[in-house]
């Protein structure tokens, strides 16, 4: 019996896996956002609504931006990376709860569900960032940072941190399903203390020292440092990256060797 060439025999498992991943992503988007683009558009536009609500509040109260003279740019540079991190970390956890029955099929693993949701959230976050930048241009603000590479690295760090905390959340809900509500409450505290609405470096040194342990705060400062290089914002880049990578490694280890066995 003739055998397939080696290249083709190695290609089939990869193609099969990509088909499974693609199917999971499509199912994820259709079940969460509906069959039309309008449902998905609402999710993409939500960060814009969030940012411009902050701008409206500060404008109504006639408060100046804590840094620079552009309220919209200040809030956008802090809110977008923090929201990207929070959305990924939360939605990865919800993906496991919503799609766990799919893991009963032999072709679908728990990791596949997690990876599919991560890819969907990365695309959603990228589209939201494009919408925010387009809106800033329309209202007369310049969304191009003084240091584009620094800003880009800040957004990549937000994705890494979101994946890391998201996998930790998956591990936690494997033991405590109620953590879905607990993390929602924790996210509010994390967001308020992340420096989206204020400039943390202006806080007293003793308070600022402890606030720096919040990686979400450092994300906001990371991106802001690209727009306001004259502000002298100090970011511990290695701390943020290692926090995300270490969280991802620990979370995936627990999911693979503990949670998967408990739920099998």
């Amino acid at each position: 019996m003739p055998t397939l060439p080696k290249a083709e025999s190695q290609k089939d498992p990869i193609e099969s896996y990509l088909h499974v991943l693609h199917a999971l992503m499509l199912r994820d988007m259709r079940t969460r956002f509906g069959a039309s683009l309008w449902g998905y558009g609402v999710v993409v536009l939500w960060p814009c609504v969030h940012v411009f609500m902050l701008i409206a509040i500060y404008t109504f109260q006639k408060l100046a931006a804590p840094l620079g003279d552009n309220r919209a740019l200040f809030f956008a540079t802090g809110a977008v990376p923090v929201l990207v991190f929070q959305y990924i970390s939360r939605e990865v956890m919800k993906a496991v709860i919503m799609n766990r029955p799919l893991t009963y099929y032999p072709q679908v693993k728990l990791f596949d569900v997690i990876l599919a949701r991560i890819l969907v959230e990365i695309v959603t976050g990228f589209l939201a960032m494009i919408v925010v930048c387009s809106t800033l241009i329309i209202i007369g603000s310049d969304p191009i940072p003084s240091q584009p590479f620094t800003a880009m690295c800040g957004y990549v760090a937000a994705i890494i941190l979101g994946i890391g905390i998201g996998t930790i959340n998956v591990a936690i809900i494997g033991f405590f399903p109620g953590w879905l509500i607990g993390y929602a409450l924790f996210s509010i505290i994390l967001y308020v203390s992340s420096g989206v609405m204020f400039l943390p470096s202006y806080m007293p040194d003793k308070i600022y020292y402890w606030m720096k342990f919040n990686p979400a705060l450092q994300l906001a400062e990371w991106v802001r440092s690209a727009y306001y290089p004259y502000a002298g914002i100090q970011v511990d880049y290695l701390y943020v990256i290692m926090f995300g990578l270490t969280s991802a490694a620990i979370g995936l280890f627990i999911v693979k060797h503990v949670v998967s066995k408990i739920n099998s």
Side-chain angles (χ1 to χ4, degrees):
M1 179 180 295
T3 59
L4 292 173
K6 186 176 181 181
E8 293 185 11
S9 62
Q10 291 179 348
K11 187 177 179 180
D12 289 341
I14 297 176
E15 286 186 348
S16 299
Y17 181 75
L18 292 177
H19 284 309
V20 170
L21 198 60
H22 181 252
L24 287 173
M25 291 175 65
L26 288 179
R27 182 187 184 278
D28 193 14
M29 296 178 68
R30 288 174 179 172
T31 54
R32 291 168 61 200
F33 312 127
S36 68
L37 292 175
W38 292 106
Y40 186 66
V42 170
V43 177
V44 172
L45 291 174
W46 175 244
C48 304
V49 176
H50 185 100
V51 170
F52 290 105
M53 280 181 62
L54 292 176
I55 298 170
I57 292 172
Y58 267 67
T59 302
F60 179 76
Q61 296 182 346
K62 297 181 180 180
L63 298 175
L67 187 62
D69 56 359
N70 191 321
R71 298 185 186 94
L73 191 63
F74 177 82
F75 290 126
T77 53
V80 173
V82 174
L83 289 175
V84 168
F85 149 67
Q86 289 195 326
Y87 272 58
I88 294 176
S89 62
R90 184 184 66 227
E91 295 301 326
V92 167
M93 172 175 55
K94 291 169 62 176
V96 176
I97 297 176
M98 295 172 57
N99 298 313
R100 187 177 295 278
L102 293 177
T103 59
Y104 297 142
Y105 294 98
Q107 299 92 340
V108 181
K109 308 299 181 184
L110 191 59
F111 176 79
D112 302 336
V113 173
I114 295 173
L115 180 58
R117 179 60 65 91
I118 287 173
L119 294 176
V120 170
E121 290 305 314
I122 289 175
V123 173
T124 303
F126 179 73
L127 293 176
M129 186 172 63
I130 291 177
V131 173
V132 170
C133 290
S134 300
T135 308
L136 288 174
I137 293 174
I138 292 172
I139 65 175
S141 299
D142 183 9
I144 305 301
S146 301
Q147 300 175 350
F149 182 74
T150 301
M152 181 185 67
C153 290
Y155 289 117
V156 172
I159 293 172
I160 294 174
L161 186 63
I163 294 172
I165 300 300
T167 51
I168 288 289
N169 286 335
V170 171
I172 293 176
I173 63 169
F175 300 96
F176 308 105
W179 176 241
L180 181 64
I181 299 176
Y183 184 70
L185 299 175
F186 178 71
S187 294
I188 297 174
I189 300 174
L190 201 65
Y191 178 83
V192 172
S193 62
S194 63
V196 172
M197 297 174 286
F198 61 95
L199 199 62
S201 58
Y202 285 2
M203 301 290 288
D205 291 341
K206 290 184 178 180
I207 299 177
Y208 183 53
Y209 172 79
W210 293 105
M211 291 178 67
K212 294 278 281 187
F213 285 97
N214 176 2
L217 179 145
Q218 300 228 30
L219 284 176
E221 292 195 320
W222 189 331
V223 175
R224 280 206 181 115
S225 67
Y227 286 84
Y228 307 99
Y230 57 84
I233 300 173
Q234 300 295 321
V235 181
D236 191 342
Y237 305 107
L238 183 61
Y239 171 76
V240 180
I241 297 298
M242 292 306 298
F243 197 106
L245 293 177
T246 303
S247 299
I250 294 173
L252 290 174
F253 179 83
I254 297 175
V255 168
K256 180 180 180 180
H257 295 284
V258 181
V259 177
S260 297
K261 293 181 180 179
I262 291 177
N263 295 287
S264 60

